[in-house]
Amino acid sequence: MTDPRTVSFELGVHYGQAYLIDETDDAMGPEGIPADHPVHPVGIIRVDGGDAFLITGLHTGAVGFSVTVAGHDPGADTHGYEDIVEISLKSEAGQLALYEWGGGDVHELPTLPAGPGWYRLRYHAQNMDEAAEVDTSDEVIDRYLLQIWPQDESTPRVIKSTSGHLAYWREPR
């Protein structure tokens, strides 16, 4: 794999949801919204086993989405995005795919560079508040960058938080 590799596409969302699924034989994805970390909530990305639940600002329509898979930390894009959070995920298969809600398209992602094991997910978001106000749009309003690289399990953290949407999802429910 050339390091890093980025794929970009329009992601169809419904209910402001998408799913990062570990491509094991029994990959089913999260059922419902997984609980946030009880001590270090990051709000817009939740991990359940080897899968992750991703939240977008737009309820229904198309969002801009890029995924970068790297062999090392590619560095956060603090100037290009309003919100940035991180969380760990353990992949059993060494291969992840991004699934749209309700059986929509499946977006294949580059193979994870270290095979099965622990990875860090850094989820960047831009224009979540604007997209949430619009609710439904076929034109891209909000955009996201998900970075994935090998790293031992570590505490979830918020790197940058400016939107009301991220603040809302970080509140205890």
Side-chain angles (χ1 to χ4, degrees), residues 91-104:
S91 171
E92 290 183 23
Q95 181 68 49
L96 301 171
L98 196 61
Y99 284 67
E100 295 181 357
W101 184 87

Side-chain angles (χ1 to χ4, degrees), residues 4 68 70 72-86 120-125 143 145-149 151 157-161:
T68 297
H72 56 81
D73 182 348
D77 184 353
T78 57
H79 298 293
Y81 292 86
E82 296 170 331
D83 300 305
I84 306 171
V85 299
E86 291 183 359
R120 192 66 167 175
L121 307 178
R122 183 180 293 134
Y123 191 40
H124 299 67
R143 62 186 178 86
L145 168 63
L146 179 64
Q147 296 171 320
I148 305 169
W149 70 95
Q151 181 179 307
R157 71 184 186 128
V158 176
I159 296 172
K160 185 177 180 184
S161 174

